[in-house]
Amino acid sequence: MQTRRRVDVLIPKVLLVNDDPASLFALESLLTDAATRLEYELITAGSGKEALRHVLKHDFAVILLDVSMPGMDGLETAEAIHSHPRSHAVPIIFITAHYTDELNRLRGYQAGAADYLFTPVIAQVLQAKVAVFVEMRKRTLLLQAKSEQLTKLNQDLRVQRMQDLERINHDLELEVAERKLAEQHACELSIRDPLTGLVNRRSLIQQLEHAITLADRNGGEFALLFLDLDKFKAVNDNHGHEVGDELLRQVAARLTAAVRVSDVVARLGGDEFVVLVEGRSAAANAARVAKKIGQAQSRAYEIGKHRIKTSTSIGIGLYPQDGASAGMLMKNADLAMYHAKQEKRGSISFFHEAYNTREIERERWRQELRLAFDEDQFELHYQPQRELDGDTLAGVEALLHWRHPRLGLIAAPAWQADVPDLALRERIDEWSVTAACAQAAQWRAGRAEWAAPCIAVNLMSAQLQPELARHLLTQISRRQLPPGSIALELPEQLLCGPLAGIEAVLRPLRGAGVGLGVDDFGSGGAALTACKALPLDTLKIDRAFVRAIGDGDGGSDMVAAIILLARALSLKAVALGVQTPAQREALAALGCQRYQSDDPPLPAAELSLQLRAPQESAA
């Protein structure tokens, strides 16, 4: 197809224009054989306008143009043809019957005529004149084609040259990359432990010195964890060094997975490892990281046919209080690790005694929390939620309390910050949900003397796990609770993360009639898009905003804004921590529907008595 098109391009075209069909046919007959022999294409037109249309489509070797034509005559047609940039140089041969009309001939030459032919036209003269222009056109076309070929050849040569240069450049880049890789490998051999791939002692000292410089410059701190595997020598003795080496590699992998990306994990040699923890709150982060490492290392290792159980004793040193230099800090962290190993294998010890005491107290707190489940020490107390219009009961909020054997009854806010274990928090939330459903069923049993309220359950976890949602739906079904019996108070932080996961958990709950509210709204920075996207029922205004009502610093404006937001999202606004009649009046005026006071929550039995009393008085 490309070859055919190229041949067509090289064939000249001749345009024959005459308004008289007979004359046009006669002239065309005179040129037909010559067109075949000389290989040019003959195109005809019956008027000047038709000729102009052909000129706009084709390039012609010559145009044979009748002078006398009605409408647009030959002279006007020639002027129009030569006025266009595409055809301004096309030669035109006029054909006329006026031998003696010199004025018309002059006008023709002025209009761009290359020659004149007079009728009757002599065939040989006509064919010869056309042949001259056709041959000239052929040469022009051939020259253009060769020029295009030369341009294409030059372009191909440039492309080939560019490809050669790119190939050479690619080879050079590969060579440079290989050299860099070799240099990197040589560098890593000097700073990495060849067995585990962790940084070695030399590199750790350098990073410690850098951390000291940054801490001194910024007034910061960091922690150094010194780790030692318990009974590692027995593994080598009983199973051989190959098993011991594989154990060290797996220990290194678990260590790396247990810490943050920014933390540095190093192997000093043998079964000694070090973790450098930088950033804010180094002491608290160090204890958390050490606990996570201890839990990861306590799981059995599967090495070939062997199942090996070990533990990790961890000593913690803090900069600057536990050592003013890298060497001193490492020595003191090592001493703390030795102290931990002496006290109890697999334990954690701070070099600083005060931190040791704190960690011991936290561990004791965790053990007492676990014991609280076994001895049924948790209780739910209930705080009424009332309508601002009429002060009628709208529901109750279930607040978790712990009847501690040493410290007495403690509300959850006083101790929940000391529950760092996520699994323990989720277990507490599961207990709260179960207890609330049981209480809701009890209040609805028999002939209720008062309308059983909806129970809103607070969550301790910052995340709502699908397992907890399924547990709640199971409890509702098992106890045959009608829709509206239970609600969940979601922490506002829950709305600050990705919405897709939480929405998938909330939709089934909403479909089962579980109320969904945002607790302490305004304190956690939840996005408006989250409130709009999730299937919520209520916004509970943080008590700090309620206390600021009427203080002159915009407290009332903030509450009004949250109420307007709730109304725009078709949610009920509930004000927390309402203490005075003035606050209730202001909230009612702003359009808030419900409120909760800061009165102490009551056990279920006492709340039942209070709620029955008005019913019995009315009776």
Side-chain angles (χ1 to χ4, degrees):
M1 183 64 71
Q2 184 67 25
T3 304
R4 172 70 179 176
R5 180 180 179 275
R6 191 168 187 82
V7 171
D8 292 343
V9 169
L10 294 176
I11 295 177
K13 295 179 175 64
V14 174
L15 179 62
L16 179 60
V17 184
N18 199 299
D19 66 307
D20 180 43
S23 300
L24 183 62
F25 178 75
L27 290 170
E28 184 179 3
S29 300
L30 293 176
L31 292 173
T32 300
D33 291 340
T36 303
R37 184 178 68 255
L38 298 177
E39 295 184 343
Y40 64 85
E41 181 182 353
L42 186 61
I43 298 174
T44 61
S47 66
K49 291 183 179 180
E50 187 181 356
L52 290 177
R53 286 196 292 270
H54 285 302
V55 167
L56 292 176
K57 294 180 181 180
H58 306 289
D59 293 325
F60 291 100
V62 65
I63 299 175
L64 301 173
L65 184 60
D66 183 25
V67 173
S68 301
M69 291 188 298
M72 178 182 256
D73 64 17
L75 297 176
E76 292 173 337
T77 303
E79 289 177 355
I81 290 173
H82 283 169
S83 67
H84 196 280
R86 178 187 178 94
S87 55
H88 71 282
V90 177
I92 296 175
I93 298 176
F94 282 117
I95 298 176
T96 180
H98 304 284
Y99 287 90
T100 59
D101 192 348
E102 295 295 333
L103 182 60
N104 277 339
R105 291 175 64 184
L106 178 62
R107 285 182 59 199
Y109 285 120
Q110 289 175 343
D115 203 348
Y116 262 84
L117 287 175
F118 299 96
T119 57
V121 175
I122 301 173
Q124 292 85 350
V125 174
L126 174 64
Q127 294 170 357
K129 289 182 179 288
V130 170
V132 170
F133 290 109
V134 166
E135 184 62 27
M136 291 175 59
R137 181 60 181 168
K138 281 185 179 181
R139 293 178 181 179
T140 301
L141 291 175
L142 184 61
L143 183 62
Q144 289 177 352
K146 289 183 177 180
S147 177
E148 289 176 1
Q149 288 177 353
L150 183 60
T151 302
K152 180 67 168 57
L153 180 61
N154 288 334
Q155 183 179 359
D156 291 342
L157 288 174
R158 284 197 299 270
V159 170
Q160 182 63 41
R161 188 177 181 184
M162 285 297 297
Q163 289 175 345
D164 292 342
L165 289 174
E166 288 176 357
R167 184 168 56 254
I168 294 171
N169 186 54
H170 178 68
D171 293 341
L172 289 173
E173 288 178 349
L174 286 178
E175 184 177 349
V176 170
E178 288 173 357
R179 289 184 179 181
K180 284 186 177 180
L181 188 61
E183 292 173 0
Q184 181 181 356
H185 182 62
C187 178
E188 287 186 353
L189 287 176
S190 67
I191 65 173
R192 294 276 176 183
D193 170 49
L195 178 64
T196 62
L198 302 177
V199 298
N200 58 17
R201 180 186 292 270
R202 174 187 172 187
S203 178
L204 174 67
I205 295 296
Q206 293 176 349
Q207 299 204 45
L208 268 176
E209 291 173 347
H210 180 65
I212 288 173
T213 301
L214 288 179
D216 291 344
R217 182 187 304 160
N218 302 324
E221 60 178 0
F222 63 85
L224 194 69
L225 280 62
F226 210 98
L227 296 80
D228 185 84
L229 294 184
D230 297 321
K231 300 180 180 179
F232 177 70
K233 185 176 181 300
V235 174
N236 274 337
D237 292 342
N238 297 332
H239 304 293
H241 288 282
E242 289 186 1
V243 173
D245 288 348
E246 179 59 25
L247 175 61
L248 291 175
R249 281 191 286 266
Q250 292 192 22
V251 166
R254 288 191 188 180
L255 273 177
T256 305
V259 302
R260 301 172 302 179
V261 175
S262 59
D263 297 333
V264 178
V265 183
R267 181 187 177 220
L268 301 186
D271 61 337
E272 291 182 336
F273 297 85
V274 170
V275 178
L276 173 60
V277 180
E278 296 184 84
R280 296 180 180 178
S281 307
N285 282 334
R288 178 183 58 79
V289 171
K291 188 73 176 176
K292 191 175 180 182
I293 290 172
Q295 291 175 348
Q297 302 296 346
S298 65
R299 302 194 307 272
Y301 290 89
E302 303 290 342
I303 303 175
K305 61 182 180 179
H306 305 291
R307 191 171 188 272
I308 299 173
K309 287 277 290 183
T310 185
S311 57
T312 306
S313 298
I314 303 175
I316 302 175
L318 304 176
Y319 182 85
Q321 54 265 51
D322 294 340
S325 66
M328 184 60 67
L329 186 60
M330 287 183 65
K331 177 183 177 182
N332 289 337
D334 190 10
L335 287 174
M337 184 276 296
Y338 180 77
H339 173 74
K341 189 179 285 286
Q342 291 296 107
E343 287 291 320
K344 180 185 177 183
R345 291 184 182 275
S347 62
I348 302 168
S349 176
F350 280 89
F351 178 76
H352 200 285
E353 188 61 33
Y355 287 112
N356 268 331
T357 303
R358 185 181 305 172
E359 183 61 23
I360 291 171
E361 180 61 30
R362 284 183 177 176
E363 183 58 34
R364 180 183 181 184
W365 196 254
R366 294 186 191 99
Q367 293 176 359
E368 289 179 340
L369 270 172
R370 294 187 180 98
L371 187 62
F373 287 102
D374 299 331
E375 298 188 357
D376 200 21
Q377 295 173 4
F378 292 127
E379 301 177 7
L380 289 182
H381 289 200
Y382 300 89
Q383 191 171 63
Q385 184 183 116
R386 298 186 178 276
E387 303 282 354
L388 274 164
D389 183 12
D391 208 39
T392 57
L393 182 71
V396 295
E397 182 176 357
L399 300 172
L400 181 64
H401 287 67
W402 181 9
R403 195 166 292 280
H404 196 280
R406 291 187 294 111
L407 305 175
L409 188 66
I410 317 172
W415 50 269
Q416 66 182 11
D418 293 320
V419 188
D421 191 338
L422 177 61
L424 198 55
R425 287 173 174 259
E426 292 173 356
R427 188 179 176 190
I428 291 172
D429 285 341
E430 184 176 313
W431 183 92
S432 298
V433 164
T434 304
C437 289
Q439 186 60 60
Q442 182 180 338
W443 275 337
R444 282 167 171 75
R447 291 183 59 190
E449 298 172 356
W450 49 280
C454 174
I455 301 177
V457 183
N458 269 298
L459 296 180
M460 183 172 291
S461 300
Q463 298 177 342
L464 178 58
Q465 298 296 338
E467 292 79 8
L468 180 64
R470 286 194 290 269
H471 176 74
L472 173 55
L473 293 175
T474 300
Q475 290 294 315
I476 291 174
S477 174
R478 176 185 171 190
R479 301 180 187 279
Q480 298 182 348
L481 296 176
S485 301
I486 299 293
L488 288 182
E489 300 285 353
L490 306 175
E492 191 179 6
Q493 294 82 350
L494 192 67
L495 279 62
C496 298
L499 299 183
I502 183 62
E503 184 179 7
V505 177
L506 294 182
R507 290 291 176 189
L509 294 175
R510 180 66 180 271
V514 177
L516 300 170
V518 182
D519 203 12
D520 297 321
F521 184 79
S523 62
L528 175 60
T529 53
C531 299
K532 185 176 181 181
L534 298 178
L536 304 174
D537 298 298
T538 59
L539 289 184
K540 302 188 81 171
I541 305 170
D542 187 76
R543 48 184 36 83
F545 296 119
V546 175
R547 283 197 299 269
I549 290 177
D551 64 0
D553 292 330
S556 299
D557 295 337
M558 287 298 299
V559 173
I562 296 175
I563 293 172
L564 286 174
L565 171 62
R567 186 180 303 163
L569 298 174
S570 301
L571 306 178
K572 287 186 173 61
V574 182
L576 296 176
V578 177
Q579 297 174 331
T580 66
Q583 289 173 341
R584 288 200 298 272
E585 292 174 4
L587 288 166
L590 292 172
C592 185
Q593 293 104 324
R594 297 176 180 177
Y595 77 95
Q596 274 181 231
S597 69
D598 266 344
D599 295 337
L602 300 174
E606 292 186 34
L607 179 65
S608 299
L609 291 174
Q610 283 195 8
L611 295 175
R612 283 194 185 97
Q615 303 288 338
E616 293 171 355
S617 299

